[in-house]
Amino acid sequence: MSARAGVTHGLVLRQFGSKEQLFLAAVPGHRELDDTIAGDRRTLPERVAHAFVTRMETNAAGDPLVVLLRSVASDQKAAATLLELMEKNSLTAYREVLEGDDEDIEACVSLLGAHLIGVTFSRYIAATGPLARMDAADVTAHVARVLRHILFDD
């Protein structure tokens, strides 16, 4: 792939560190995370839920969570590495807006990711059951409510 781009494999690794980090830099979602979470803390769950559902409704097949979930069956180690990088990237962004000690923020971000992964699998991969039949606005509202509880324990 680096040859098609006209660069060496070593240059890609020097710039991005690994193919997983290159993947995160290239796909939607994580690139926009900083913009999504910037703003009023009180509306953070709604912004995250809206951005997530909008992104998934637009192009779930190319989303990093879908790629991650589909890769688990074929390469568990690569999927674990990708999940770890996604969590690390998310943690860096959320630390800027969440209050609390580091362990609490890490737990919140991990639970947030786990919830979004579950929604991704149920609605966009398995695509069965009530979650798959809901309209996008209802999914957004439900996800926002759960994220509010995870992030702020309201």
Side-chain angles (χ1 to χ4, degrees), residues 27-104:
V27 295
H30 274 265
R31 289 190 314 245
E32 292 86 14
L33 184 60
D34 289 336
D35 293 337
T36 299
I37 65 173
D40 188 345
R41 223 175 144 261
R42 294 173 293 182
T43 59
L44 177 62
E46 290 77 17
R47 289 193 315 276
V48 171
H50 179 266
F52 167 74
V53 172
T54 299
R55 190 179 81 228
M56 296 301 278
E57 293 290 320
T58 303
N59 182 23
D63 193 87
L65 286 178
V66 172
V67 173
L68 169 72
L69 290 169
R70 288 189 172 142
S71 70
V72 168
S74 61
D75 191 344
Q76 188 174 356
K77 185 175 184 217
T81 300
L82 183 57
L83 177 61
E84 186 177 318
L85 287 169
M86 291 169 75
E87 277 191 347
K88 182 180 176 185
N89 183 54
S90 296
L91 187 56
T92 300
Y94 279 99
R95 276 192 180 115
E96 298 293 320
V97 295
L98 295 178
E99 298 169 357
D101 66 44
D102 216 37
E103 284 183 25
D104 286 342

Side-chain angles (χ1 to χ4, degrees), residues 1-9 11-12 22:
M1 183 182 334
S2 58
R4 283 192 320 205
V7 297
T8 66
H9 180 71
L11 180 61
V12 171
L22 170 62

